[in-house]
């Protein structure tokens, strides 16, 4: 299932887009401004963001700059005509595509699909020793597939997309299991333990942060 976050303050456009994307089988969440987007982003896993430039509270560029501190999630920017000069920001911030408003939802859906296809191909072609293929939900170590349960994969992905950031067990539990999950923080520990076992030599990527939780440590 592909998860999309739509960040757009124009309610009508947001709702129409949501409807279209859901019809295509995507899971869609909405944010009305930049602050809400950051909040949702820190607590959930998304495969792609559709981000408007002109937003209340915090504009699209500032929002994206914040997101890029922890994640390289694909992003489509919604821009108004005449904002083309801003694309220089976009280049720095790793924007995957632009849609100039007014845009048809059908066009946005097509662009999302194209980007996701590109991203998944890229991760498959990576020759590194540790590969997380988001689209296929598979992990490879030295070319060997690692058998993970769906929750183990979600957990790994959540950590992996936030490298070198200490994440509390509560944060992890809410993001990976959801707020309505009836369980305690030890659930996180148990899954981390299993995940580490399956990762073999790569277990050291997942570090315990005493008194807090865990982090995905990427040596620089
Ligand atoms: Ca707007």
């Amino acid at each position: 299932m592909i998860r999309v976050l739509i960040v757009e303050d124009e309610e009508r456009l947001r709702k129409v887009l949501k409807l279209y994307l859901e019809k295509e089988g995507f899971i869609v969440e909405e944010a009305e401004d930049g602050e809400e987007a950051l909040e949702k982003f820190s607590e959930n896993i998304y495969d792609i963001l559709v981000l408007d430039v002109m937003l209340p509270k915090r504009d699209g560029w500032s929002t994206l700059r914040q997101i890029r501190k922890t994640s390289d999630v694909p992003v489509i920017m919604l821009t108004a005509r005449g904002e083309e000069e801003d694309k220089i920001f976009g280049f720095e911030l790793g924007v995957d595509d632009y849609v100039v408003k007014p845009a048809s939802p059908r066009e946005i859906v097509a662009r999302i699909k194209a980007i996701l296809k590109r991203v998944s191909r890229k991760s498959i072609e990576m020759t590194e020793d540790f590969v997380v293929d988001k689209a296929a939900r598979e992990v490879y170590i030295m070319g060997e597939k690692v058998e993970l349960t769906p929750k183990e994969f979600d957990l790994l992905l959540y950590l992996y997309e936030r490298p070198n950031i200490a994440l509390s067990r509560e944060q992890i539990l809410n993001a990976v299991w959801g707020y309505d999950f009836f369980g305690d923080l030890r659930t996180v520990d148990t899954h981390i333990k299993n995940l580490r076992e399956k990762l073999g030599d790569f277990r050291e990527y997942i570090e315990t942060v005493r008194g807090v939780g865990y982090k995905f440590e990427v040596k620089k």
Side-chain angles (χ1 to χ4, degrees):
M1 283 295 223
I2 304 291
R3 289 171 182 272
V4 186
L5 178 63
I6 303 173
V7 189
E8 167 60 73
D9 56 318
E10 288 159 52
E11 192 183 358
R12 212 182 66 86
L13 176 58
R14 204 173 63 233
K15 296 291 177 203
V16 170
L17 251 181
K18 182 173 197 269
L19 224 84
Y20 252 84
L21 287 166
E22 284 178 345
K23 224 169 60 189
E24 296 284 333
F26 295 98
I27 296 170
V28 181
E29 287 191 35
E30 308 162 63
E32 288 178 29
D33 58 63
E35 291 295 338
E36 193 187 359
L38 290 181
E39 214 166 282
K40 291 212 160 159
F41 191 79
S42 74
E43 291 168 351
N44 298 281
I45 299 166
Y46 299 106
D47 297 291
I48 191 161
L49 257 60
V50 179
L51 183 58
D52 187 26
V53 171
M54 296 294 281
L55 289 169
K57 293 187 185 173
R58 185 192 268 271
D59 72 22
W61 297 120
S62 163
T63 304
L64 183 56
R65 191 164 292 124
Q66 197 61 30
I67 284 172
R68 281 289 178 252
K69 289 181 182 168
T70 64
S71 164
D72 60 355
V73 65
V75 170
I76 295 181
M77 296 300 283
L78 298 180
T79 66
R81 223 170 274 287
E83 284 175 345
E84 283 89 349
E85 65 269 26
D86 289 346
K87 283 187 179 173
I88 189 78
F89 280 138
F91 184 71
E92 287 166 19
L93 291 170
V95 170
D96 295 86
D97 207 352
Y98 293 89
V99 175
V100 176
K101 294 202 280 188
S104 77
R106 194 172 305 162
E107 184 190 348
I108 296 174
V109 168
R111 304 259 186 132
I112 288 177
K113 286 183 173 175
I115 289 170
L116 291 174
K117 205 180 278 176
R118 207 162 66 212
V119 168
S120 94
R121 205 180 303 135
K122 201 166 73 189
S123 77
I124 288 167
E125 282 172 4
M126 274 199 325
T127 52
E128 288 169 29
D129 297 336
F130 187 84
V131 174
V132 176
D133 182 349
K134 277 172 70 170
R137 293 177 56 86
E138 286 171 352
V139 175
Y140 294 85
I141 289 180
M142 317 288 267
E144 295 265 332
K145 189 176 161 191
V146 184
E147 294 297 337
L148 297 179
T149 67
K151 274 291 172 243
E152 285 165 359
F153 182 84
D154 288 343
L155 174 60
L156 177 62
L157 188 61
Y158 185 72
L159 296 169
Y160 172 81
E161 292 198 317
R162 292 158 180 78
N164 302 322
I165 292 174
L167 299 159
S168 73
R169 290 141 93 220
E170 202 160 32
Q171 217 173 338
I172 296 170
L173 191 75
N174 288 337
V176 178
W177 279 267
Y179 285 100
D180 48 359
F181 175 70
F182 192 75
D184 63 31
L185 296 173
R186 274 170 300 184
T187 306
V188 177
D189 300 329
T190 315
H191 279 75
I192 290 278
K193 183 169 169 279
N194 295 339
L195 196 52
R196 277 176 172 155
E197 272 167 24
K198 292 182 179 183
L199 293 182
D201 289 345
F202 284 77
R203 68 174 60 216
E204 61 192 41
Y205 273 146
I206 302 175
E207 274 194 6
T208 302
V209 184
R210 213 174 287 274
V212 180
Y214 300 95
K215 79 174 162 186
F216 195 83
E217 177 81 21
V218 179
K219 316 268 186 294
K220 284 169 192 141

